[in-house]
Amino acid sequence: MQDTITALINPADAQGQYLSDAALNQLRQYFERGMMRVKAAATISATASQIISRTVAKSLLYGDITLPGGNMYPTRRYAACLRDLNYFLRYATYAMLAADPSILDERVLNGLKETYQTLGVPIDRVVQALNAMKEVLNETVGSEAGQELAGYLDHIIAGLS
């Protein structure tokens, strides 16, 4: 993972140049949105368990997936689902703070689709939960931060599809 600052400074440094106007503009935009990102991350940190609970209630709880024979039954599978959703939320938050989705490729998506397929995890239900998480986040952190986070969750969805 490389944050926006490092991604802009390293190439300029390697070429022995000052930052271009375009790079400085990118930094300005990054810093202007910085407080929004930090506030959203603080809210997520303080309410992560509620976000996960609301996500599950909105998308997975009331269906055949939680009944005997479903992928969220028994309790250990349910716990694994909650763990994975928490994992997705945490890494989407990191990506938002850095304004860089590469951490999602490195730490979340690398081999995830294949693992889920091997374990028989229904990817369509994971996508359904991630879409519900986008809604919950929008309600929790506000539309501006919610839209930004949605982009990182969409990155996970694209990697699973």
Side-chain angles (χ1 to χ4, degrees), residues 45-154:
S45 293
T47 62
S49 62
Q50 293 97 322
I51 292 168
I52 300 302
S53 295
R54 289 175 51 210
T55 296
V56 170
K58 197 177 253 289
S59 61
L60 300 173
L61 199 54
Y62 306 106
D64 60 346
I65 197 165
T66 58
L67 298 174
N71 280 74
M72 285 179 59
Y73 183 89
T75 308
R76 68 178 170 75
R77 285 187 177 173
Y78 184 80
C81 178
L82 296 180
R83 177 205 61 215
D84 287 357
L85 290 174
N86 193 51
Y87 188 69
F88 299 149
L89 176 60
R90 184 165 47 96
Y91 277 100
T93 304
Y94 295 163
M96 177 198 59
L97 286 168
D100 178 18
S102 68
I103 192 169
L104 299 172
D105 297 321
E106 297 166 11
R107 307 266 174 92
V108 177
L109 293 171
N110 189 10
L112 182 64
K113 182 177 181 179
E114 296 78 11
T115 301
Y116 275 1
Q117 288 172 335
T118 300
L119 295 173
V121 174
I123 292 176
D124 62 325
R125 299 306 290 264
V126 176
V127 169
Q128 180 183 3
L130 288 170
N131 282 320
M133 186 181 286
K134 290 190 300 188
E135 293 174 26
V136 171
L137 284 168
N138 203 52
E139 295 163 2
T140 304
V141 299
S143 63
E144 185 180 11
Q147 287 178 338
E148 187 157 342
L149 283 159
Y152 297 110
L153 293 173
D154 285 339

Side-chain angles (χ1 to χ4, degrees), residues 6-50:
T6 306
L8 293 169
I9 291 175
N10 282 348
D13 183 44
Q15 296 173 357
Q17 299 177 348
Y18 289 96
L19 293 173
S20 67
D21 288 342
L24 289 169
N25 189 43
Q26 282 182 274
L27 281 174
R28 182 187 54 75
Q29 290 173 355
Y30 176 74
F31 287 124
E32 284 175 355
R33 296 178 58 84
M35 189 51 67
M36 176 271 304
R37 288 185 182 103
V38 170
K39 285 180 181 178
T43 300
I44 291 167
S45 293
T47 62
S49 62
Q50 293 97 322

